[in-house]
């Protein structure tokens, strides 16, 4: 039976706690993961899935989408909190990250899922567009890491997962800015893994291919069929496939894995 549910209209968080959570060990009750960009698509699936096994804090930009994600987690036995936060806003990230550290301590994992594409032919792009994509997909990660990593170093355990893309390895027309930002993640993961590995913290990337989300629903059926036929496994990826891969990367099964990029694309980039 649920003991408390706090919803906000126009606010930043909701806390869902059931009595079954009280039976968890004290350390498990405090462990939590952060998911940026958790209010829609793959991010929402990650929040709902990981909330079945632990406390989750997520961010998003759209308040209605944040509340919709929270509604999906109402039956979770763990705490789920959603905050309105733009990762490009360094001061807002600082404020929220410090508040979370004061309330919960260091996270067990950070899943950098927030991102954007802004597709367009290279000759039609400009510096402002590139800055927007790089700020959202790359700089925002640094904003979070800068505040949360010191506490994780003291904790001497944890995992960081950066949501890259198969576009970083397989060219795609109109995605030069997006591909550059996603390819950057692999380089960051390798270098950061060398810096913080001795503290027991792992850093890896996940590079999904074509995943069935609301974005794919906008693609004409015939085009989508052709795209599916280009995949050796002859099917689109599901958000559950991504969830399982993320669970692996932050879990015990990958304890000896760091500085790597795991490609999850059904063979598309083979």
């Amino acid at each position: 039976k649920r003991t408390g549910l706090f919803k906000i209209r126009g606010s930043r968080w909701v806390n869902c706690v059931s009595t079954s959570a009280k039976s968890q060990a004290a350390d498990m009750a405090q462990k939590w993961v952060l998911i940026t960009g958790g209010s829609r698509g793959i991010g929402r699936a990650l929040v709902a899935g990981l909330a079945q096994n632990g406390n989750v804090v997520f961010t998003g930009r759209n308040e209605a989408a944040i509340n919709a994600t929270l509604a999906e987690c109402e039956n979770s036995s763990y705490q789920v909190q959603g905050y309105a936060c733009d990762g490009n806003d360094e001061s807002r990230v600082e404020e929220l990250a410090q508040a979370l550290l004061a309330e919960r301590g260091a996270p067990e994992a950070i899943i950098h899922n927030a991102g954007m594409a802004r597709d367009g032919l290279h000759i039609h792009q400009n510096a402002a567009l590139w800055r927007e994509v790089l700020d959202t997909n790359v700089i925002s990660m640094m904003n979070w890491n800068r505040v949360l990593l010191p506490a994780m170093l003291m904790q001497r355990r944890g995992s960081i997962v950066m949501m890259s893309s198969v576009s970083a390895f397989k060219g795609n027309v109109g995605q030069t800015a997006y591909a550059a930002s996603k390819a950057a993640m692999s380089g960051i993961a390798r270098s950061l893994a060398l810096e913080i590995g001795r503290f027991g913290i792992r850093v890896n990337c996940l590079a999904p291919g074509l995943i069935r989300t609301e974005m794919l629903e906008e693609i004409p059926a015939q085009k989508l069929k052709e795209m599916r036929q280009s995949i050796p496994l002859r099917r689109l990826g599901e958000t559950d496939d991504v969830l399982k891969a993320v669970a692996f990367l932050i879990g015990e099964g990958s304890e000896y894995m760091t500085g790597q990029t795991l490609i999850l694309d059904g063979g598309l980039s083979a």
Side-chain angles (χ1 to χ4, degrees), residues 130 134 138 167-168 175-185:
W130 271 68
L134 291 173
V138 180
S167 294
Q175 290 197 329
T176 53
Y178 180 73
S181 70
K182 294 302 184 178
M185 293 180 179

Side-chain angles (χ1 to χ4, degrees), residues 196-208:
I196 63 179
R198 65 185 184 274
F199 296 96
I201 300 172
R202 297 173 292 112
V203 188
N204 293 292
C205 293
L206 178 62

Side-chain angles (χ1 to χ4, degrees), residues 16 33 35 44-58 69-70 72-81 243:
C16 305
V33 302
I35 303 172
R44 179 179 293 183
L46 294 179
V47 172
L50 295 180
Q52 300 305 307
N53 296 295
N55 303 317
V56 175
V57 175
F58 71 94
T69 302
L70 289 166
E72 289 189 20
C73 301
E74 288 187 351
N75 294 324
S76 172
S77 296
Y78 294 89
Q79 296 178 346
V80 181
Q81 293 178 310
L243 171 61

Side-chain angles (χ1 to χ4, degrees), residues 96-238:
L96 178 55
Q98 292 290 4
L100 290 170
L101 289 174
E103 176 187 356
R104 296 180 168 276
E108 289 294 305
I110 304 173
I111 301 166
H112 292 293
N113 178 70
M116 65 165 52
R118 293 290 188 265
D119 292 353
L121 293 177
H122 189 68
I123 59 173
H124 296 150
Q125 296 177 343
N126 55 40
L129 182 147
W130 271 68
R131 290 191 189 98
E132 183 181 17
V133 173
L134 291 173
D135 282 350
T136 300
N137 296 358
V138 180
I139 303 301
S140 64
M141 297 192 305
M142 186 274 295
N143 289 338
W144 283 105
N145 290 345
R146 182 181 62 80
V147 185
L148 295 178
L149 255 182
M152 295 176 72
L153 297 180
M154 294 184 66
Q155 179 176 258
R156 300 192 73 84
R157 69 174 187 271
S159 176
I160 296 175
V161 176
M162 306 178 193
M163 195 64 70
S164 183
S165 168
V166 69
S167 294
F169 307 95
K170 186 181 187 307
N172 200 15
V173 174
Q175 290 197 329
T176 53
Y178 180 73
S181 70
K182 294 302 184 178
M185 293 180 179
S186 292
I188 293 170
R190 287 192 292 270
S191 294
L192 187 55
L194 294 178
E195 292 181 12
I196 63 179
R198 65 185 184 274
F199 296 96
I201 300 172
R202 297 173 292 112
V203 188
N204 293 292
C205 293
L206 178 62
L210 293 168
I211 306 299
R212 194 191 308 274
T213 64
E214 56 264 31
M215 291 180 64
L216 288 189
E217 294 176 0
E218 302 174 4
I219 299 176
Q222 182 58 38
K223 178 63 176 177
L224 195 59
K225 180 180 178 181
E226 294 172 2
M227 294 168 66
R228 186 168 55 246
Q229 290 301 310
S230 70
I231 302 171
L233 291 183
R234 295 297 189 269
R235 73 171 179 89
L236 300 174
E238 305 292 342

